[in-house]
Amino acid sequence: MKSLFIQTTACDGSDVFFTWLLWLIAAFILGFILAWLLKPCKCDDSSKGGAKQDLTKIEGIGPKIQDLLYAKNINSYSNLSNSSQDELESIIEDGGPAFYAHRHLALTWPAQAKLADQNQWEELAKWQGLLKGGV
């Protein structure tokens, strides 16, 4: 069996071991820098596709409406609380005829989402006890 042998002398007889070593170190450093530059961003900015919050905790939002909101990058309580009534109604209408009856439910979603965003869960629960289907 032949073993791997690296020639460390040049044609003129000079030793090139350190030249090879420097090239290997440079390649390693370059690879490390490229890996660091190209690694995926693990940002927690939910407005840019980051972690999605469970919007079904808002009275009147079910899994299907939540999917409609996620598709329009409304995936956090903060995004939802800053959404206008017209924008929410438009999203529901874009979902198709099956969602038209739910347009009126969006009236309280931003206010509920603001409470959720501020971690005021007890106050939100009290209010949701008074709501009927989100209104």
Side-chain angles (χ1 to χ4, degrees):
M1 183 166 106
K2 291 186 177 183
S3 62
L4 179 64
F5 178 73
I6 298 176
Q7 183 73 26
T8 62
T9 55
C11 297
D12 62 357
S14 62
D15 191 15
V16 291
F17 173 75
F18 290 107
T19 306
W20 276 98
L21 185 63
L22 287 175
W23 276 108
L24 288 172
I25 291 171
F28 175 77
I29 291 171
L30 180 63
F32 182 77
I33 291 171
L34 284 174
W36 179 72
L37 290 173
L38 297 175
K39 72 179 178 181
C41 178
K42 295 180 181 175
C43 306
D44 191 26
D45 185 6
S46 56
S47 66
K48 294 188 173 151
K52 296 177 179 178
Q53 293 180 318
D54 183 9
L55 301 180
T56 61
K57 292 183 179 182
I58 303 300
E59 179 73 24
I61 296 179
K64 291 181 180 180
I65 292 179
Q66 176 177 256
D67 290 340
L68 291 176
L69 294 170
Y70 284 171
K72 297 294 185 177
N73 289 326
I74 298 176
N75 49 18
S76 70
Y77 300 124
S78 177
N79 294 138
L80 183 56
S81 68
N82 293 321
S83 299
S84 70
Q85 185 65 36
D86 293 334
E87 180 182 5
L88 294 173
E89 287 180 5
S90 174
I91 290 170
I92 293 171
E93 288 176 8
D94 289 346
F99 297 101
Y100 288 172
H102 300 280
R103 287 178 296 186
H104 69 283
L105 301 178
L107 289 171
T108 63
W109 293 352
Q112 290 184 64
K114 186 172 185 176
L115 290 174
D117 190 40
Q118 296 172 349
N119 287 323
Q120 296 180 4
W121 295 105
E122 290 180 20
E123 188 173 336
L124 178 60
K126 287 178 189 175
W127 188 24
Q128 287 177 339
L130 301 173
L131 296 174
K132 302 279 187 198
V135 184

